[in-house]
Amino acid sequence: MRYHQTRTQHKNIVGLIAYKISNSWQQIIVATVASTIATLCILNVVMASERNAADMSALKMVPMGAEQVGEPVTVLQAEILSTEISSVVTGFIVRTTVRQQFRNSSTDWMEGMYQFPLPDDAAVDEMVLIIGERRIVSEIQEKKQALKTYQKAAIAGKKAALLSQQRPNMFSTSVANIEPGGDIVVELSFQSLAAQDGVNFSWRMPQAITPRYNSPSAATYIQDANVTASDSHYDRRGDRNPTSFRILMQKADALSALESPSHDIDLSEGDDRARVIKLANGALPADKDFVLHWQYAQGDEASTVVFFEDGEDARYILGMVLPPKAATEVSSAPRDITFVIDVSGSMHGLSMEQARKALTKGLELLGPKDRFDIIAFNDKTWRLFGQSRAVTAANLAQAYQFIGGLQADRGTEMYPALSAALLDVQSEDYLRQIMFLTDGAVSNEQRMFDLVKKTVGPARLFTVGLGSAPNGWFMRKAAEQGRGVHLQVSNLANTQSELESLFYDMSAPTLQNIELQLSESSDFYPRQIPDLFGQRPLTFVARHDQSAAPIRIAAVGPQGQPWSYDFEMSEASTGSGISKLWAGRKIESLTDARARGMSADLVREAVLDVSLTHGVLSEFTSFVAVDQTPVRVRQDFLKKVQLKGNLPQGTSWEKFYGPKTASPMIWQLTSGLVLLMLAIALFFAVRRRVGT
């Protein structure tokens, strides 16, 4: 009987080990081994979490660093002392100066580096380096040459500043040779246009960079290889880079409303009927976009606003067509709408809350003759129905349940979802529309533009930007390529009213297939003019021969009838900076042409010509300012100061830098649990053996 028990014990490894243990020393050894295994399993689980917290997740942060200068260097952490943003608003033209003050609080010579966002249509045309009482105005150079100029000055011990464009809405500043305890100021200036919705105007100043997701399947479309960064480039507290605003609103007596949905503001009277806008609480951390809204009195008839600026060889024109107070004729055709909603990790928190609310409101505003479907995506894509269905109580109930189950997580593979919506079968009996709700946090924007351009057909793409710091450039350009409208939901409390306005406009295309008719020598942008929806205006900028024929707009009216309008230059007003705006749009158009297959070398040469001629920053040029007086002896090592930024307000740190849910961590957790179970089994086997 005992022999049979012994053979049974030998059939499993636990029993075999227990059978071999017969004295106290062996018991001590086994206990030690079991404890070690248990400790290792716990460490394995903990290290799995720590390793994945330190690793980059699928969502990548945009880097703060730049190329090293001179000798090998030590990277330290530092802050910007302050950022002051001053703007002057004239009509819908916004002239802005950003003043950044750096301080070196260490005992070493430092190089300060910082990456920051600007409006995606910003035409940057000036940088000034301020040292004490001296103002050193920069010059624009080809990017590689500007970098060489900067590096040469840095190595020679001269104070220098370099301003470069990383993306149309992302810029970087480097400042060399900041002396111990010293301050240095960099000013940059740019022109931009306020967004318009009828008599409603809106200007957005980005304050934080939303993390970008790099799709492994779209590497050829990534414009800049240097697009990721570790969590060391961001401060978890979110209180970095205090920023103040001072905005001068010209002719403010004509305004019927002036407010900010993003920040608390103070208003005061300025000179000559102007108003001054400041933040009510002074300087605040740069962690969400600043948005300013204003409104003018509206007329009963369609009206135009035209500004012009005469150059040496051409006239530059900024024009706008404002619809009348109420559209009297709108299309009555039913709509086939596909809602595409982003549920990736970058949407976690405020953005996801906005998305659910916006999508729910969109369904509520559908008409009984419409039909719809919903596509959701992160690194996977799935649909509610698979194809459009009628607006019925049962279908809506199923849709609301679908929305309620959406959770933000994982990567952002946008291409398959957008492609699925664009390639759906279209019917001539319906207005085919796509509403895309996202924060636009992808790095392969150009691939998306290429997709929309090639496949949109008669459909119209409407983009709804979500979150406190969306990728506005992507959202605007995608809607432009899709001949639709871009809406940014800046305040969760305003989601309902803003969506209602957009849905009304989507059902009311007042002008379609718009063409701008100028002489052959003229050059205007955007080249593909979006439809005119509801109360939303038409805006363009053109380089026009002064002796050319008048500008005419031709389009198809709401009932299919031909429509045209001539701009009367005798009623135009003079404006400044219009040539800079035209140059910025020209550069943007050339970049789009590259994505459509135009030779990269030809695009580069054309962009360089426009950029250098008009003094407007581009991806191939930089502004560089150098103080010719050396301030640092050659023997000093130049150390780098890496300036931390803030994650956008409402963004989850854990979603970017917390433990992953990918397979490596699952394996580590599983193996750790197996080791723990083995240790427990050994412990009880020994006790059972001793007790027999």
Side-chain angles (χ1 to χ4, degrees):
M1 185 68 172
R2 184 173 180 80
Y3 175 76
H4 176 72
Q5 291 176 343
T6 301
R7 288 179 58 86
T8 302
Q9 287 176 328
H10 283 191
K11 288 182 181 180
N12 63 73
I13 187 170
V14 175
L16 178 61
I17 295 173
Y19 181 78
K20 295 291 185 180
I21 301 172
S22 58
N23 57 58
S24 60
W25 283 107
Q26 290 173 323
Q27 295 173 21
I28 293 172
I29 293 172
V30 170
T32 302
V33 171
S35 299
T36 301
I37 293 175
T39 301
L40 287 173
C41 86
I42 294 171
L43 286 174
N44 195 55
V45 173
V46 172
M47 289 175 66
S49 176
E50 289 180 349
R51 278 196 297 271
N52 285 281
D55 291 343
M56 291 299 295
S57 64
L59 289 160
K60 307 292 188 180
M61 288 297 180
V62 183
M64 296 289 190
E67 294 184 23
Q68 292 186 349
V69 178
E71 304 292 336
V73 295
T74 301
V75 177
L76 303 177
Q77 299 296 336
E79 297 183 57
I80 293 178
L81 188 62
S82 67
T83 298
E84 300 173 4
I85 298 175
S86 302
S87 300
V88 178
V89 183
T90 304
F92 53 95
I93 302 174
V94 185
R95 176 70 179 177
T96 302
T97 297
V98 179
R99 178 187 176 97
Q100 293 176 319
Q101 184 175 5
F102 304 82
R103 172 170 293 172
N104 178 11
S105 57
S106 74
T107 58
D108 297 299
W109 292 87
M110 293 287 183
E111 178 190 19
M113 296 177 296
Y114 180 54
Q115 193 155 358
F116 56 94
L118 289 179
D120 59 272
D121 68 338
V124 181
D125 54 32
E126 186 178 48
M127 182 181 72
V128 178
L129 179 62
I130 303 174
I131 305 169
E133 299 298 321
R134 287 178 294 159
R135 293 176 60 87
I136 304 169
V137 179
S138 64
E139 62 179 58
I140 190 169
Q141 297 178 0
E142 192 273 333
K143 181 173 273 188
K144 290 182 179 179
Q145 180 57 48
L147 179 60
K148 289 179 181 178
T149 301
Y150 174 78
Q151 290 176 333
K152 183 178 179 180
I155 294 172
K158 300 176 181 178
K159 288 185 178 178
L162 180 71
L163 172 65
S164 300
Q165 173 185 306
Q166 306 301 322
R167 272 177 163 73
N169 59 346
M170 194 183 302
F171 297 79
S172 64
T173 298
S174 297
V175 183
N177 293 310
I178 308 176
E179 69 269 21
D183 291 355
I184 195 165
V185 175
V186 177
E187 284 186 356
L188 62 94
S189 300
F190 64 89
Q191 298 260 124
S192 60
L193 287 179
Q196 301 133 29
D197 175 9
V199 294
N200 300 298
F201 291 74
S202 177
W203 179 69
R204 174 180 296 273
M205 181 64 193
Q207 293 289 281
I209 298 173
T210 299
R212 304 292 197 260
Y213 173 77
N214 290 338
S215 172
S217 63
T220 57
Y221 283 84
I222 296 176
Q223 299 175 358
D224 190 348
N226 190 25
V227 293
T228 62
S230 69
D231 56 356
S232 65
H233 295 94
Y234 284 77
D235 190 285
R236 188 165 187 168
R237 297 179 324 217
D239 59 356
R240 298 273 179 167
N241 309 335
T243 302
S244 62
F245 284 82
R246 186 185 188 278
I247 301 171
L248 182 66
M249 179 70 64
Q250 303 280 28
K251 297 183 179 179
D253 59 332
L255 299 179
S256 59
L258 178 61
E259 62 180 3
S260 171
S262 61
H263 292 71
D264 293 330
I265 59 175
D266 280 338
L267 300 176
S268 59
E269 297 296 327
D271 297 333
D272 193 22
R273 299 178 296 168
R275 280 197 176 183
V276 178
I277 302 116
K278 295 182 179 180
L279 297 181
N281 299 315
L284 295 175
D287 63 356
K288 65 175 179 177
D289 294 358
F290 175 82
V291 182
L292 187 67
H293 288 170
W294 62 97
Q295 186 180 74
Y296 288 95
Q298 192 170 11
D300 295 327
E301 302 292 333
S303 59
T304 61
V305 179
V306 185
F307 293 87
F308 72 91
E309 179 183 35
D310 285 335
E312 294 181 359
D313 58 347
R315 170 169 288 180
Y316 296 90
I317 298 172
L318 179 63
M320 180 175 67
V321 178
L322 283 171
K325 184 180 295 184
T328 56
E329 294 180 292
V330 298
S331 173
S332 58
R335 294 173 295 165
D336 181 350
I337 301 182
T338 299
F339 299 91
V340 183
I341 182 169
D342 183 350
V343 294
S344 62
S346 66
M347 293 283 291
H348 184 77
L350 175 64
S351 298
M352 196 66 239
E353 186 180 353
Q354 284 180 329
R356 289 197 197 94
K357 191 170 184 178
L359 185 50
T360 300
K361 189 60 185 179
L363 294 178
E364 294 173 355
L365 295 171
L366 291 172
K369 296 180 181 180
D370 296 336
R371 60 187 189 184
F372 74 101
D373 194 10
I374 301 174
I375 299 176
F377 73 93
N378 44 36
D379 55 2
K380 305 293 182 182
T381 297
W382 63 100
R383 303 185 68 146
L384 170 60
F385 300 129
Q387 60 183 7
S388 295
R389 291 188 183 180
V391 179
T392 65
N395 288 337
L396 287 174
Q398 190 173 345
Y400 294 139
Q401 184 177 8
F402 180 84
I403 296 170
L406 295 176
Q407 300 293 328
D409 199 7
R410 306 175 69 88
T412 315
E413 290 292 345
M414 187 179 291
Y415 190 94
L418 187 55
S419 177
L422 290 167
L423 294 176
D424 275 348
V425 178
Q426 303 187 28
S427 171
E428 294 182 356
D429 298 329
Y430 289 84
L431 288 174
R432 175 69 180 141
Q433 298 177 337
I434 300 165
M435 176 174 281
F436 195 15
L437 302 102
T438 179
D439 60 5
V442 292
S443 63
N444 59 331
E445 297 100 333
Q446 204 64 57
R447 190 186 188 204
M448 302 297 110
F449 303 152
D450 192 31
L451 171 67
V452 175
K453 181 72 173 179
K454 291 180 179 179
T455 60
V456 67
R460 295 296 183 260
L461 175 64
F462 300 80
T463 58
V464 179
L466 303 168
S468 56
N471 185 353
W473 171 57
F474 168 74
M475 308 297 290
R476 177 180 66 83
K477 289 292 295 181
E480 181 182 303
Q481 295 288 350
R483 288 198 168 190
V485 172
H486 165 52
L487 170 68
Q488 171 57 40
V489 179
S490 305
N491 189 329
L492 187 61
N494 297 337
T495 300
Q496 178 171 336
S497 61
E498 292 185 7
L499 261 293
E500 286 178 347
S501 174
L502 177 61
F503 261 75
Y504 172 78
D505 290 345
M506 289 172 65
S507 66
T510 52
L511 292 178
Q512 296 176 290
N513 302 325
I514 300 172
E515 294 183 1
L516 193 58
Q517 298 177 351
L518 300 95
S519 64
E520 293 183 359
S521 61
S522 299
D523 194 8
F524 65 90
Y525 301 97
R527 301 299 298 180
Q528 181 168 295
I529 299 178
D531 292 348
L532 190 61
F533 287 91
Q535 301 295 291
R536 301 176 189 272
L538 164 66
T539 303
F540 67 91
V541 61
R543 183 181 183 275
H544 192 49
D545 189 336
Q546 295 186 24
S547 61
I551 299 174
R552 169 171 290 187
I553 292 179
V556 175
Q559 302 301 324
Q561 75 278 18
W563 181 94
S564 64
Y565 189 91
D566 291 333
F567 280 87
E568 298 295 337
M569 294 305 300
S570 60
E571 301 176 2
S573 303
T574 58
S576 61
I578 300 175
S579 62
K580 306 282 188 181
L581 289 171
W582 175 87
R585 298 299 174 88
K586 174 74 172 180
I587 290 171
E588 183 179 299
S589 178
L590 288 167
T591 303
D592 294 343
R594 178 178 57 194
R596 296 192 297 269
M598 185 175 177
S599 166
D601 291 337
L602 290 177
V603 169
R604 182 179 181 279
E605 291 301 318
V607 169
L608 278 173
D609 179 57
V610 176
S611 178
L612 296 174
T613 300
H614 292 270
V616 174
L617 196 66
S618 73
E619 63 179 291
F620 302 117
T621 54
S622 297
F623 281 104
V624 60
V626 176
D627 183 2
Q628 296 302 322
T629 304
V631 294
R632 179 178 61 89
V633 297
R634 183 114 183 196
Q635 287 72 21
D636 289 327
F637 287 104
L638 179 67
K639 295 188 178 181
K640 286 186 157 322
V641 180
Q642 182 173 273
L643 300 165
K644 284 192 175 186
N646 302 315
L647 284 174
Q649 187 183 77
T651 301
S652 170
W653 178 277
E654 286 72 17
K655 282 294 178 181
F656 300 138
Y657 297 109
K660 293 182 183 178
T661 57
S663 57
M665 184 173 180
I666 294 174
W667 184 90
Q668 290 162 337
L669 290 171
T670 303
S671 62
L673 290 173
V674 169
L675 289 171
L676 180 60
M677 292 174 66
L678 178 59
I680 294 171
L682 282 171
F683 175 76
F684 282 106
V686 170
R687 291 197 61 181
R688 186 167 60 251
R689 174 60 181 167
V690 172
T692 58

